[in-house]
């Protein structure tokens, strides 16, 4: 199972969404998962993982998920190979039981060259980092279904957590 995860924050809480699929070329989600995390750490520049990692782990633990690969919105390594980002910390927290691929929309200062892929007709790259083989990770994300810059299933993970946050916020008001 491949699991794509995204997190949406609302005040001091977070909505976490995960979508599972079996193959990089899949058009449709196998299953969708959502979790609510009541208390999240405040954003701390340079230490984003302190805020997001507990949210991702909450979803994985709540549903007893055992993916072979987890795709996150962000970086595994901030410099591409040594400086740990959210993805490397997730990999370590899971004791290496799942490869982690980071897909970031913006370049991080210090990221080595060679991490970019261009999907569809977009002139803007996605930046790929991974705990595994970089070329394989880049090919995997490049082969995901969809003609746009952001693959359809990664966009679905983002939409799902935003929908959850919006729905829950409307129920509170």
């Amino acid at each position: 199972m491949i699991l794509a995860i995204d997190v949406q924050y609302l005040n001091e809480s977070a909505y976490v969404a995960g979508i599972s699929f079996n193959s990089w070329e899949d058009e449709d989600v196998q299953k969708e998962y959502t979790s609510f995390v009541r208390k999240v750490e405040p954003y701390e520049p340079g230490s984003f993982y302190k805020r997001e990692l507990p949210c991702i782990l909450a979803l994985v633990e709540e549903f007893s998920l055992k993916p072979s690969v987890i795709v996150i919105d962000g970086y595994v390594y901030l410099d591409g190979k040594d400086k740990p980002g959210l993805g490397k910390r997730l990999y370590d927290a899971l004791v290496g039981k799942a490869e982690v691929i980071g897909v970031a929309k913006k370049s991080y200062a210090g990221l080595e060259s060679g991490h970019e892929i261009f999907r569809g007709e977009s002139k803007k790259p996605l930046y790929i980092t991974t705990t595994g083989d970089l070329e394989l990770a880049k090919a995997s994300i490049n082969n995901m279904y969809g003609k746009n810059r952001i693959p359809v299933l990664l966009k679905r993970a983002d939409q799902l957590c935003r929908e959850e946050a919006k729905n829950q916020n409307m129920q509170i008001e």
Side-chain angles (χ1 to χ4, degrees):
M1 168 205 324
I2 303 166
L3 181 68
I5 297 180
D6 209 341
V7 180
Q8 178 70 36
Y9 299 96
L10 185 63
N11 302 320
E12 296 178 355
S13 57
Y15 297 88
V16 190
I19 57 131
S20 65
F21 51 102
N22 293 316
S23 169
W24 293 107
E25 295 83 16
D26 284 357
E27 294 180 39
D28 297 312
V29 171
Q30 177 188 21
K31 191 160 183 184
E32 295 182 341
Y33 308 89
T34 59
S35 290
F36 175 69
V37 179
R38 227 172 258 299
K39 181 80 171 139
V40 295
E41 294 293 320
Y43 174 71
E44 184 180 326
S47 296
F48 178 63
Y49 71 92
K50 291 180 182 178
R51 182 174 173 96
E52 190 134 333
L53 181 60
C55 299
I56 294 172
L57 292 173
L59 180 94
V60 170
E61 291 169 14
E62 179 178 343
F63 294 98
S64 301
L65 300 173
K66 302 204 181 320
S68 57
V69 180
I70 298 176
V71 182
I72 62 163
D73 178 8
Y75 283 91
V76 174
Y77 291 101
L78 301 177
D79 62 357
K81 65 178 182 177
D82 292 319
K83 188 175 181 184
L86 169 64
K88 174 63 166 106
R89 294 173 196 281
L90 174 60
Y91 178 79
D92 291 344
L94 296 174
V95 199
K97 292 182 179 169
E99 178 183 337
V100 180
I101 297 175
V103 179
K105 296 171 207 76
K106 294 181 182 177
S107 180
Y108 190 86
L111 183 67
E112 313 177 316
S113 64
H115 290 269
E116 305 89 2
I117 63 169
F118 291 86
R119 285 183 39 91
E121 295 182 18
S122 179
K123 303 291 184 228
K124 292 176 141 185
L126 292 174
Y127 300 91
I128 310 300
T129 53
T130 183
T131 56
D133 178 83
L134 178 60
E135 293 308 314
L136 182 58
K138 287 168 53 176
S140 296
I141 301 301
N142 221 6
N143 288 331
M144 289 184 78
Y145 180 76
K147 296 179 181 178
N148 296 322
R149 179 178 180 230
I150 309 297
V152 168
L153 296 181
L154 298 186
K155 188 172 182 92
R156 178 61 192 143
D158 175 69
Q159 290 170 332
L160 184 58
C161 65
R162 289 176 189 271
E163 288 168 8
E164 273 299 300
K166 182 179 177 183
N167 292 339
Q168 294 301 323
N169 192 37
M170 290 195 315
Q171 289 177 8
I172 293 169
E173 292 176 346

